[in-house]
Amino acid sequence: DTGVSQDPRHKITKRGQNVTFRCDPISEHNRLYWYRQTLGQGPEFLTYFQNEAQLEKSRLLSDRFSAERPKGSFSTLEIQRTEQGDSAMYLCASAQGADSPLHFGNGTRLTVT
Amino acid sequence: QQPVQSPQAVILREGEDAVINCSSSKALYSVHWYRQKHGEAPVFLMILLKGGEQKGHEKISASFNEKKQQSSLYLTASQLSYSGTYFCGTRRSGNTGKLIFGQGTTLQVKP
């Protein structure tokens, strides 16, 4: 169990640019979640996958956000035309089933200037 | 819909007890509890399922009142290492797995 890894750890980008983050879950976990967290707040749900299928996407998310999990392994989260309000910590977590513990990665901190 | 946690913050002395509550207006199937220390990722503490099953650390105590859609986390004989922000995450009945987190309760344990 090598844990959930996320890349990059930090990303600074200019407003209007596109960014992509990667998450490598624990290998035997079939569920993968993306959350966004700002200072002093709880993790905000973005989307989750079971294997390669995206089961739900937050209605709060605009069309600028998209996520994929090809072949049910790693996942990518892309934000197009970034805005300053997108600045946050983006957390990935994986789990072995619907009511199994979530194992979080250390996150990618995005700063949009 | 986001669960509501109370209190928002707690300050304790080592050895004192605390209770953190989590409530939802929707019927829940499960409640998760996580602790996050500053600059770190959330770490799993416990899962409570409808019907009474629990999964988690032996030293952590929690309850789930299915009628009231409320869960409580009991921290007894607190230690300095208990400091951090505690989040509950709830899964609604009928939902396949989306976990929604509350706004958090910050716990500070002083010597």
Side-chain angles (χ1 to χ4, degrees), chain A residues 10-37:
Chain A
H10 303 274
K11 179 71 178 180
I12 300 174
T13 191
K14 292 185 177 180
R15 188 178 51 170
Q17 298 294 306
N18 300 342
V19 294
T20 300
F21 309 143
R22 178 180 170 121
C23 172
D24 287 274
I26 294 172
S27 57
E28 61 267 27
H29 286 182
N30 59 3
R31 294 216 167 200
L32 187 147
Y33 298 78
W34 284 101
Y35 288 90
R36 176 172 66 185
Q37 188 175 29

Short mmCIF file of all heavy atoms in Angstrom, two decimals, chain A residues 10-37:
data_model
loop_
_atom_site.label_atom_id
_atom_site.label_comp_id
_atom_site.label_asym_id
_atom_site.label_seq_id
_atom_site.Cartn_x
_atom_site.Cartn_y
_atom_site.Cartn_z
N HIS A 10 2.00 21.54 -6.17
CA HIS A 10 1.62 22.95 -6.27
C HIS A 10 1.55 23.34 -7.74
O HIS A 10 2.35 22.85 -8.55
CB HIS A 10 2.66 23.85 -5.57
CG HIS A 10 2.89 23.52 -4.15
ND1 HIS A 10 2.12 24.03 -3.12
CD2 HIS A 10 3.81 22.71 -3.56
CE1 HIS A 10 2.56 23.56 -1.98
NE2 HIS A 10 3.57 22.76 -2.20
N LYS A 11 0.61 24.24 -8.04
CA LYS A 11 0.49 24.74 -9.40
C LYS A 11 0.08 26.20 -9.34
O LYS A 11 -0.92 26.55 -8.70
CB LYS A 11 -0.56 23.94 -10.18
CG LYS A 11 -0.78 24.40 -11.61
CD LYS A 11 0.40 24.08 -12.49
CE LYS A 11 0.15 24.50 -13.93
NZ LYS A 11 1.32 24.19 -14.80
N ILE A 12 0.89 27.04 -9.95
CA ILE A 12 0.56 28.45 -10.08
C ILE A 12 0.29 28.72 -11.55
O ILE A 12 1.11 28.38 -12.40
CB ILE A 12 1.70 29.34 -9.56
CG1 ILE A 12 1.98 29.05 -8.08
CG2 ILE A 12 1.34 30.83 -9.74
CD1 ILE A 12 3.20 29.78 -7.53
N THR A 13 -0.84 29.32 -11.84
CA THR A 13 -1.20 29.57 -13.23
C THR A 13 -1.85 30.93 -13.36
O THR A 13 -2.33 31.51 -12.39
CB THR A 13 -2.14 28.47 -13.75
OG1 THR A 13 -2.27 28.58 -15.16
CG2 THR A 13 -3.53 28.61 -13.12
N LYS A 14 -1.84 31.44 -14.55
CA LYS A 14 -2.49 32.72 -14.80
C LYS A 14 -3.95 32.49 -15.18
O LYS A 14 -4.29 31.47 -15.82
CB LYS A 14 -1.76 33.47 -15.91
CG LYS A 14 -0.37 33.94 -15.51
CD LYS A 14 0.28 34.78 -16.59
CE LYS A 14 1.63 35.27 -16.12
NZ LYS A 14 2.30 36.11 -17.16
N ARG A 15 -4.77 33.44 -14.83
CA ARG A 15 -6.19 33.36 -15.15
C ARG A 15 -6.38 33.13 -16.65
O ARG A 15 -5.71 33.75 -17.47
CB ARG A 15 -6.86 34.66 -14.74
CG ARG A 15 -8.37 34.66 -14.84
CD ARG A 15 -8.93 35.97 -14.36
NE ARG A 15 -8.27 37.10 -15.01
CZ ARG A 15 -8.67 38.34 -14.92
NH1 ARG A 15 -9.72 38.64 -14.21
NH2 ARG A 15 -8.03 39.31 -15.53
N GLY A 16 -7.26 32.20 -16.97
CA GLY A 16 -7.53 31.90 -18.37
C GLY A 16 -6.79 30.69 -18.92
O GLY A 16 -7.15 30.17 -19.98
N GLN A 17 -5.77 30.25 -18.18
CA GLN A 17 -5.01 29.08 -18.63
C GLN A 17 -5.72 27.80 -18.21
O GLN A 17 -6.54 27.79 -17.28
CB GLN A 17 -3.60 29.09 -18.02
CG GLN A 17 -2.76 30.28 -18.44
CD GLN A 17 -2.46 30.23 -19.93
OE1 GLN A 17 -1.94 29.25 -20.44
NE2 GLN A 17 -2.79 31.31 -20.63
N ASN A 18 -5.40 26.70 -18.88
CA ASN A 18 -5.92 25.39 -18.51
C ASN A 18 -4.91 24.66 -17.64
O ASN A 18 -3.69 24.82 -17.82
CB ASN A 18 -6.18 24.54 -19.77
CG ASN A 18 -7.18 25.18 -20.71
OD1 ASN A 18 -7.95 26.07 -20.32
ND2 ASN A 18 -7.19 24.71 -21.95
N VAL A 19 -5.40 23.89 -16.69
CA VAL A 19 -4.52 23.09 -15.84
C VAL A 19 -5.07 21.67 -15.74
O VAL A 19 -6.29 21.45 -15.85
CB VAL A 19 -4.38 23.67 -14.41
CG1 VAL A 19 -3.66 25.01 -14.44
CG2 VAL A 19 -5.73 23.79 -13.73
N THR A 20 -4.16 20.72 -15.53
CA THR A 20 -4.55 19.33 -15.37
C THR A 20 -3.81 18.74 -14.18
O THR A 20 -2.60 18.92 -14.05
CB THR A 20 -4.22 18.51 -16.63
OG1 THR A 20 -4.93 19.05 -17.74
CG2 THR A 20 -4.65 17.06 -16.45
N PHE A 21 -4.55 18.03 -13.34
CA PHE A 21 -3.97 17.37 -12.17
C PHE A 21 -4.13 15.87 -12.34
O PHE A 21 -5.10 15.39 -12.92
CB PHE A 21 -4.69 17.79 -10.89
CG PHE A 21 -4.83 19.27 -10.70
CD1 PHE A 21 -5.98 19.80 -10.15
CD2 PHE A 21 -3.80 20.14 -11.07
CE1 PHE A 21 -6.12 21.17 -9.97
CE2 PHE A 21 -3.94 21.50 -10.90
CZ PHE A 21 -5.10 22.02 -10.35
N ARG A 22 -3.19 15.14 -11.71
CA ARG A 22 -3.24 13.69 -11.79
C ARG A 22 -3.36 13.09 -10.41
O ARG A 22 -2.77 13.59 -9.44
CB ARG A 22 -1.98 13.16 -12.47
CG ARG A 22 -1.93 11.63 -12.54
CD ARG A 22 -0.68 11.12 -13.22
NE ARG A 22 -0.54 9.68 -13.07
CZ ARG A 22 -0.47 8.85 -14.10
NH1 ARG A 22 -0.52 9.29 -15.36
NH2 ARG A 22 -0.34 7.54 -13.90
N CYS A 23 -4.08 11.98 -10.32
CA CYS A 23 -4.21 11.23 -9.07
C CYS A 23 -3.98 9.76 -9.36
O CYS A 23 -4.61 9.18 -10.24
CB CYS A 23 -5.60 11.44 -8.47
SG CYS A 23 -5.94 10.37 -7.05
N ASP A 24 -3.09 9.15 -8.58
CA ASP A 24 -2.88 7.71 -8.63
C ASP A 24 -3.42 7.09 -7.35
O ASP A 24 -2.85 7.31 -6.28
CB ASP A 24 -1.40 7.37 -8.82
CG ASP A 24 -0.92 7.67 -10.22
OD1 ASP A 24 -1.06 6.79 -11.07
OD2 ASP A 24 -0.43 8.80 -10.47
N PRO A 25 -4.50 6.33 -7.44
CA PRO A 25 -5.11 5.78 -6.22
C PRO A 25 -4.36 4.54 -5.74
O PRO A 25 -3.44 4.06 -6.40
CB PRO A 25 -6.51 5.39 -6.72
CG PRO A 25 -6.29 5.00 -8.14
CD PRO A 25 -5.22 5.95 -8.65
N ILE A 26 -4.77 4.03 -4.59
CA ILE A 26 -4.28 2.75 -4.12
C ILE A 26 -4.76 1.70 -5.12
O ILE A 26 -5.94 1.70 -5.51
CB ILE A 26 -4.78 2.47 -2.70
CG1 ILE A 26 -4.14 3.48 -1.75
CG2 ILE A 26 -4.48 1.04 -2.27
CD1 ILE A 26 -4.70 3.46 -0.34
N SER A 27 -3.89 0.81 -5.51
CA SER A 27 -4.12 -0.02 -6.69
C SER A 27 -5.39 -0.88 -6.63
O SER A 27 -6.07 -1.04 -7.63
CB SER A 27 -2.91 -0.91 -6.96
OG SER A 27 -2.63 -1.71 -5.84
N GLU A 28 -5.74 -1.41 -5.47
CA GLU A 28 -6.90 -2.30 -5.42
C GLU A 28 -8.22 -1.56 -5.18
O GLU A 28 -9.27 -2.17 -5.10
CB GLU A 28 -6.71 -3.37 -4.34
CG GLU A 28 -6.56 -2.83 -2.94
CD GLU A 28 -5.12 -2.62 -2.53
OE1 GLU A 28 -4.28 -2.39 -3.43
OE2 GLU A 28 -4.83 -2.66 -1.32
N HIS A 29 -8.17 -0.25 -5.09
CA HIS A 29 -9.37 0.53 -4.82
C HIS A 29 -10.13 0.80 -6.11
O HIS A 29 -9.57 1.30 -7.08
CB HIS A 29 -9.02 1.85 -4.14
CG HIS A 29 -8.63 1.69 -2.72
ND1 HIS A 29 -8.32 2.77 -1.90
CD2 HIS A 29 -8.51 0.60 -1.93
CE1 HIS A 29 -8.02 2.33 -0.69
NE2 HIS A 29 -8.13 1.02 -0.69
N ASN A 30 -11.46 0.53 -6.10
CA ASN A 30 -12.23 0.75 -7.32
C ASN A 30 -12.92 2.12 -7.32
O ASN A 30 -13.39 2.58 -8.35
CB ASN A 30 -13.27 -0.36 -7.51
CG ASN A 30 -14.24 -0.47 -6.35
OD1 ASN A 30 -14.21 0.32 -5.40
ND2 ASN A 30 -15.12 -1.45 -6.40
N ARG A 31 -12.94 2.79 -6.18
CA ARG A 31 -13.59 4.10 -6.13
C ARG A 31 -12.55 5.20 -6.03
O ARG A 31 -11.57 5.08 -5.31
CB ARG A 31 -14.52 4.16 -4.92
CG ARG A 31 -15.69 3.20 -5.06
CD ARG A 31 -16.94 3.77 -4.47
NE ARG A 31 -18.09 2.97 -4.90
CZ ARG A 31 -19.31 3.41 -4.88
NH1 ARG A 31 -19.58 4.62 -4.45
NH2 ARG A 31 -20.31 2.65 -5.29
N LEU A 32 -12.83 6.28 -6.74
CA LEU A 32 -11.92 7.43 -6.73
C LEU A 32 -12.76 8.69 -6.67
O LEU A 32 -13.71 8.85 -7.43
CB LEU A 32 -11.03 7.43 -7.98
CG LEU A 32 -9.91 8.46 -8.02
CD1 LEU A 32 -8.70 7.92 -8.78
CD2 LEU A 32 -10.35 9.77 -8.61
N TYR A 33 -12.40 9.58 -5.75
CA TYR A 33 -13.15 10.80 -5.49
C TYR A 33 -12.25 12.02 -5.70
O TYR A 33 -11.06 11.99 -5.38
CB TYR A 33 -13.64 10.85 -4.05
CG TYR A 33 -14.58 9.74 -3.64
CD1 TYR A 33 -14.11 8.47 -3.34
CD2 TYR A 33 -15.95 9.98 -3.52
CE1 TYR A 33 -14.98 7.45 -2.95
CE2 TYR A 33 -16.82 8.97 -3.12
CZ TYR A 33 -16.33 7.72 -2.84
OH TYR A 33 -17.19 6.72 -2.45
N TRP A 34 -12.86 13.10 -6.18
CA TRP A 34 -12.19 14.40 -6.24
C TRP A 34 -12.97 15.38 -5.35
O TRP A 34 -14.20 15.46 -5.43
CB TRP A 34 -12.15 14.95 -7.66
CG TRP A 34 -11.11 14.31 -8.54
CD1 TRP A 34 -11.32 13.35 -9.49
CD2 TRP A 34 -9.71 14.63 -8.60
NE1 TRP A 34 -10.14 13.03 -10.12
CE2 TRP A 34 -9.14 13.81 -9.59
CE3 TRP A 34 -8.89 15.53 -7.92
CZ2 TRP A 34 -7.77 13.86 -9.92
CZ3 TRP A 34 -7.55 15.58 -8.24
CH2 TRP A 34 -7.00 14.74 -9.23
N TYR A 35 -12.22 16.10 -4.52
CA TYR A 35 -12.79 17.14 -3.67
C TYR A 35 -11.96 18.41 -3.83
O TYR A 35 -10.80 18.38 -4.20
CB TYR A 35 -12.76 16.73 -2.19
CG TYR A 35 -13.75 15.66 -1.81
CD1 TYR A 35 -13.40 14.31 -1.89
CD2 TYR A 35 -15.02 15.99 -1.37
CE1 TYR A 35 -14.31 13.32 -1.54
CE2 TYR A 35 -15.94 15.01 -1.02
CZ TYR A 35 -15.57 13.69 -1.11
OH TYR A 35 -16.49 12.72 -0.76
N ARG A 36 -12.58 19.53 -3.49
CA ARG A 36 -11.89 20.82 -3.47
C ARG A 36 -12.05 21.38 -2.06
O ARG A 36 -13.13 21.30 -1.46
CB ARG A 36 -12.52 21.77 -4.49
CG ARG A 36 -11.97 23.17 -4.51
CD ARG A 36 -12.53 23.94 -5.68
NE ARG A 36 -13.97 24.19 -5.57
CZ ARG A 36 -14.69 24.77 -6.52
NH1 ARG A 36 -14.11 25.13 -7.67
NH2 ARG A 36 -15.98 24.97 -6.37
N GLN A 37 -10.96 21.92 -1.52
CA GLN A 37 -11.01 22.46 -0.16
C GLN A 37 -10.37 23.83 -0.11
O GLN A 37 -9.25 24.02 -0.58
CB GLN A 37 -10.31 21.51 0.82
CG GLN A 37 -10.50 21.90 2.28
CD GLN A 37 -9.89 20.90 3.23
OE1 GLN A 37 -8.91 20.23 2.92
NE2 GLN A 37 -10.48 20.77 4.42
#
